[in-house]
Amino acid sequence: MTDPSTAPAEVVAATDTAFALTDHRGQIRWVNPAMTALLGLTAAQSVDRSLTALLAGAPDAPRETDVVISFPLPDGAGHRWLEIRCTAATDRQLLYRVTDVSRWRARELDAAGLAAHQDELLRMVDEDPLTGLPNRRALTRELERQLALGARGAFLLLDLDHFKDINDLHGHPTGDRVMCTLASLLRDRIGSGQVLGRLSGDEFAAVLADTDEREAVAAADRLRNAIAAIPMSGVAGASRITVSVGIATFDSGVGWQEVLANADMALYASKAAGRNRVTVYEQGHYQDTALRVTVVERVRAALADGGFVLHAMPMVKLGSGRVIGHELLLRLEDGREPRLGPGEFLLAAERSDLVFEIDRWVAGKAIETLVEHPYPGLRFNVNVSGRTLEDEDFGDFVLDRLTAAGVAPGRLGFEITETAAVTNLDAARSLAQQLRASGCRITLDDFGSGFGSFVHLKQLPITGLKIDGEFVHGIDYGSRDTVLVQGIVDIARGLGLSVVAEWVERATQVEALSRLGVRVAQGFHLGEPEPLERLLARPHGVWMRRPTLMRDLDGDPSLAAPLRDHS
């Protein structure tokens, strides 16, 4: 096809077919008059805008077949069906040809008996099916259009705090009803002329045109306060719902991706500051994000170059002092500054897909070690992140490795935090069933820290519980923790589950736990983590001996801090 930009100007101007030339990222470099009419923009306004945002659904690379999308006309006079062809042009550019096929589409729908449903089909493309609000593609298109028009405004990103607790405790139908209530409330409070939509599961967003920062903050606070005032009397366990908000102001000098990224960084700051607050994006948020990106780069390099090592923390039988296994803890030792603890690099990894690789690396390394040291008394527990529960192939990966290595599955256990399990109950149940059926041990970690702890026990095929350290910390002070731990032990015993207590830092805690029937524990008083290589360098029998007791940690709680960060 001849490049329309080189065709005679009168031919390009006269054709009813819309053409655009973009760079390889879809940023417009040239448009013909038919395209400007379609977009409702001038040629100057169109340049440097994202065509794939303005024509949501358009392909971002050449394809063998054309794509048909629905497109709402800028003047609000209904929708059009557009057929879009994307082909490669010179200098890494893309040529888009857009044809109005509304009449052909109408005949096609009529032939299929769907003509009466055309309006509904068109709405489904741009509307969230649950709330009826504009969806992500509609919001993106509106934001990019405002930027193309040179408007000054603000983009609000609203994320409901702990909304998953409602779904997990009361079921998705209840969550859906609450979500619809919130959507209706926000729609009523957003103000005329502004566009509110639903980005994803528990995220709303709003494009506020002709709005300065002060007005945007006032609007966000109005929405936040309205949500917090909704009575949740019909939802047991939830006194109220709160929302965190991130705001990014914009003008014509940026693109929609940058605005959305800035709002997301501001939202992250609201969450980190305690939730239920409004934060406006500022340069410091970018620096915080840049630091997280640097951390992700270090994690990626550690996976590739061997910067990760494993430390082993003994799990001790309180009656005899005998070590019955070790929990493997991941450490980043890449020789770079600043040194990063697990709480820092794992948080960054969980916000990316690198956490999937990390969990596979840890499990694989544990299995390799068990092969190299076949002594039956050597048993490991490894942690599984909440994100890895989304990895449907993780269970197969583990079992294939165990089978190929000839390792008895009972030598390997997996710990899933209660919060992660409850958040993704179906996935946690599926993985636990698969691994337990093959003989692996499954422990519910940090038990008692989340909602509905006992309710979910009967739904998860686990073999043991690890009592959350917050209940152990004051167990020797005669506090309410004693009653709670006793209840956990009794229930676990009735269900045939093993129990491990963590954060054991004093001899008096050992005595209190023993009186309550806890038989296994771990903590700095019983043995601190040490590099796995150092542990394995000792004779086999030493692995099973009681570690040298550390001095009591009273008076220097900082020594216990690494244990709490045990991921």
Side-chain angles (χ1 to χ4, degrees), residues 164 346-357 359 384-394 416-417 419-421 423-424 427 431:
K164 286 185 177 180
L346 284 178
L347 179 61
E350 286 203 351
R351 290 177 64 87
S352 71
D353 290 341
L354 285 175
V355 71
F356 300 134
E357 297 181 47
D359 279 3
V384 178
S385 73
R387 289 289 311 282
T388 290
L389 294 179
E390 304 168 11
D391 183 357
E392 297 179 354
D393 298 325
F394 180 73
I416 305 172
T417 66
T419 301
T423 299
N424 203 340
L431 179 61

Side-chain angles (χ1 to χ4, degrees), residues 8-67:
E10 61 272 15
V11 174
V12 176
T15 181
D16 292 334
T17 302
F19 287 98
L21 197 65
T22 75
D23 64 14
H24 67 283
R25 297 170 301 142
Q27 301 297 113
I28 296 174
R29 293 291 170 259
W30 166 89
V31 289
N32 73 339
M35 181 63 81
T36 62
L38 178 66
L39 298 178
L41 303 171
T42 66
Q45 290 171 335
S46 302
V47 172
D48 290 334
R49 303 322 320 172
S50 170
L51 184 67
T52 53
L54 294 171
L55 292 179
D60 57 6
R63 294 180 51 165
E64 294 182 0
T65 58
D66 297 344
V67 173

Side-chain angles (χ1 to χ4, degrees), residues 214-226:
R214 181 185 58 80
E215 293 169 332
V217 170
D221 275 327
R222 186 168 62 249
L223 298 177
R224 182 177 63 88
N225 293 331

Side-chain angles (χ1 to χ4, degrees), residues 479-509:
S479 63
R480 294 181 179 180
D481 294 335
T482 301
V483 178
L484 296 173
V485 170
Q486 183 69 73
I488 293 174
V489 172
D490 291 343
I491 290 175
R493 184 179 295 124
L495 296 175
L497 303 176
S498 62
V499 175
V500 178
E502 57 183 354
W503 293 14
V504 177
E505 302 164 355
R506 301 179 294 275
T508 49
Q509 289 174 315

